[in-house]
Amino acid sequence: MAFLEISHVSKGYGPPEQRAEVLADLNLAIEEGEFVAIVGYSGAGKTTLMSLLAGLVAPDCGTVKLAGREMQGPGPDRGLVFQNYSLLPWLTVFENVKLAVDQVFADRPEAERIAHTEKFIGMVNLTRARDQRPAELSGGMRQRVSVARTLAMRPKVLLLDEPLSALDALTRATLQDEIARIWQESRTTVVLVTNDPDEAILLADRVVPLTRGPNATLAPGIPIPLARPRDRRLINENPEFKQLRNQVVESLLSAGVKPKTTLTRDLILPDIEPEDISKPWSYFNRRGPLRKGEKREESVEVAP
Amino acid sequence: MSNSTLPTILTAQPAETGKPAAGTPAAAPLPPPAGRTTRDWSRLVKLDWLLLPAVGLAAVVVMWFILSATLSKDLPNPTRTWESSKPYVVEPFSYRGELDQGILRFTWLSLVLVAKGYVIALALGTPLGFLLGLSKMMTKMLDPIIQILRPVSPLAWLPLGMVLFLGAGKQASELAALFTIAICAMWPTVLNTAVGVRAIPQDYLNVAKVLKLSRWKTLTKVMIPATLPYMFTGFRLSLGIAWLVIVAAEMLTGRPGIGGFLWQQYNALVYEQIILCILTIGIVGFILDRLMSVVERRFKTA
Ligand SMILES: Nc1ncnc2c1ncn2[C@@H]1O[C@H](COP(=O)(O)OP(=O)(O)O)[C@@H](O)[C@H]1O
Ligand SMILES: [Mg+2]
């Protein structure tokens, strides 16, 4: 029995007539203390998957189970770090984190909650920005506040939705190391969503590619047996790393059926003439059958 | 229009920026004229906001003189207006009788009444706005009624208010005035609050959901702060309307105040003071609007 388990989950949006299927038949089992990275194209449904794990949206079919129990709505035991930080702009760094701490540890005395809040602000190196508002912080600092807020809730599962995608490469590297360090210290279960295979391999125990949408699904996971702590400078020359990266990229490219475009056009029988597409369509100059009954349809599949 | 200006901007820019970039020797003779033009410009800007309004004012006063001398002989000219208004302006807080007080004393009476009505408008309008913003059903149910009541003039509400509070005796006129101010001034607050609530980013609500905030905490910690900028826009517009309504309310009820004074002087054929009242009402309304927009801007940036 895995700790966090998704089985046969599908999710789509919109009313039945114009339904957009996003995720189809997802299966994933995550062990306690495992660090899993999900890599996928943008728009594949990664945020949707995270919302399912967090309980913010309910699956259309299938189940999401945490520690053997089916999930009922969101809760602080699954800490979600939102893709766009989602800090409350009218609260300072301290107040943003404290709001979460007050909520989760409501039974503790005030002094203890303040100490707890300050400890987690210190953990992400933001003690000096304690009383600043999100608008005064850089993107990387905001993301760290968001991480601190989530970690301070002491979640059983840490869900990171593209936490570093919006950041510049240098900040990104620093925060990757910080995430690795925090995970080494706390050993909570982590699900990291990213669009960067290198980031996934650097941080995770297992990389699970999400195929291209619509109807995206999870490809078989790729275990990352690299020793920790992993050094980003050495890892680039590591042949094992290169081989793993090829495997991930290969899986992303080949997994699932490539989308095909079907063109359907009208043909006029018996004399089929090549159509002059450059000729503009107008009411007086229609392309179409001269007589009813002469119309036939032909479908052509075009590679994207 | 934009089509014709665009090419000139596009061609003008490279020509201007090209000169300094051409090299230091060529650029050396340029600074003096550039410095002079900027100084001229800044002096012009200063004159802009000092001189131009003064010119506008002078033009209006001249027009007023001409008008009172030619077309409308009953309209008092500016000098007569000033001489006749002088006692009210020089001793703005004097009290010579219920209906004969200094201009600021009258203004103060009006402001107190507006403040009361305005508070009622906000106390009713803000929760109503939240209700409309939160519930689609409520919006569908109440929006048509609001759209119909919103354009009704205070002159139409006041008689209804008199009827409503007929049993209140001596207080009836004040209550009717408050009712009119509140019901006319509340709509901008209602509508802006509703828009603000609908515009709360889903992310903030998701944070509340993940933290499992109670309904009350979601409201006070997330929804109200997120809506505040919109609410204050509504509050500012409401205050403008409340001040607009006061004159009508005082005229019809005959209460002492700036509007009541205006109406009474009209009936007493003292036309000079009508103009004094109009100016005072305008200036006070302007100051109130400025004050509110300072508050509003504070919340916008926060
Ligand atoms: N609330 C929603 N309503 C309708 N469609 C949505 C909603 N959220 C996401 N989608 C659609 O689902 C698809 C996947 O979105 P998302 O999960 O945000 O992708 P990703 O995070 O991988 O970029 C997109 O095509 C998006 O348009
Ligand atoms: Mg996303």
Side-chain angles (χ1 to χ4, degrees), chain A residues 74-76 84 86 89-90 103 153, chain B residues 203-204 207 210-212 221 225:
Chain A
N84 40 14
S86 292
W90 53 87
Q103 193 61 21
M153 301 188 317
Chain B
D203 298 332
Y204 299 169
V207 170
V210 167
L211 293 181
K212 282 224 155 129
K221 300 260 170 180

Side-chain angles (χ1 to χ4, degrees), chain B residues 104-118:
Chain B
L104 289 184
R105 209 182 166 94
F106 273 134
T107 305
W108 174 248
L109 288 175
S110 295
L111 279 173
V112 169
L113 193 66
V114 162
K116 285 186 195 162
Y118 181 59

Side-chain angles (χ1 to χ4, degrees), chain B residues 54-68:
Chain B
V55 169
L57 192 69
V60 169
V61 171
V62 168
M63 286 282 284
W64 179 5
F65 262 118
I66 295 170
L67 210 63
S68 62

Side-chain angles (χ1 to χ4, degrees), chain A residues 30-90:
Chain A
I30 297 169
E31 298 302 328
E32 189 156 14
E34 197 181 6
F35 194 132
V36 172
I38 292 169
V39 191
Y41 296 97
S42 79
K46 301 186 298 295
T47 299
T48 307
L49 173 58
M50 288 310 241
S51 306
L52 282 166
L53 288 176
L56 282 171
V57 299
D60 293 339
C61 57
T63 53
V64 184
K65 283 184 184 167
L66 180 68
R69 291 233 306 275
E70 196 162 328
M71 244 172 225
Q72 303 288 335
D77 53 342
R78 282 144 292 144
L80 176 60
V81 174
F82 296 87
Q83 184 168 0
N84 40 14
Y85 321 141
S86 292
L87 300 174
L88 302 180
W90 53 87

Side-chain angles (χ1 to χ4, degrees), chain B residues 1-2 70 82 86 88 111 141 189 204 208 215 217 265 294:
Chain B
M1 205 183 96
S2 60
T70 56
W82 169 243
K86 214 172 165 183
Y88 294 91
L111 279 173
M141 204 162 84
T189 297
Y204 299 169
R215 274 162 176 258
K217 268 201 159 174
Q265 296 306 79
V294 168

Side-chain angles (χ1 to χ4, degrees), chain B residues 118-177:
Chain B
Y118 181 59
V119 166
I120 297 171
L122 299 195
L124 293 177
T126 315
L128 186 58
F130 259 89
L131 208 63
L132 289 177
L134 288 174
S135 153
K136 280 220 170 72
M137 202 184 75
M138 279 292 178
T139 307
K140 282 190 183 137
M141 204 162 84
L142 296 178
D143 195 57
I145 302 175
I146 291 175
Q147 297 304 340
I148 288 171
L149 295 186
R150 203 160 60 100
V152 174
S153 149
L155 296 173
W157 284 117
L158 199 76
L160 182 69
M162 299 285 221
V163 173
L164 266 177
F165 299 105
L166 216 51
K170 277 182 91 178
Q171 293 244 286
S173 78
E174 177 168 4
L175 291 176

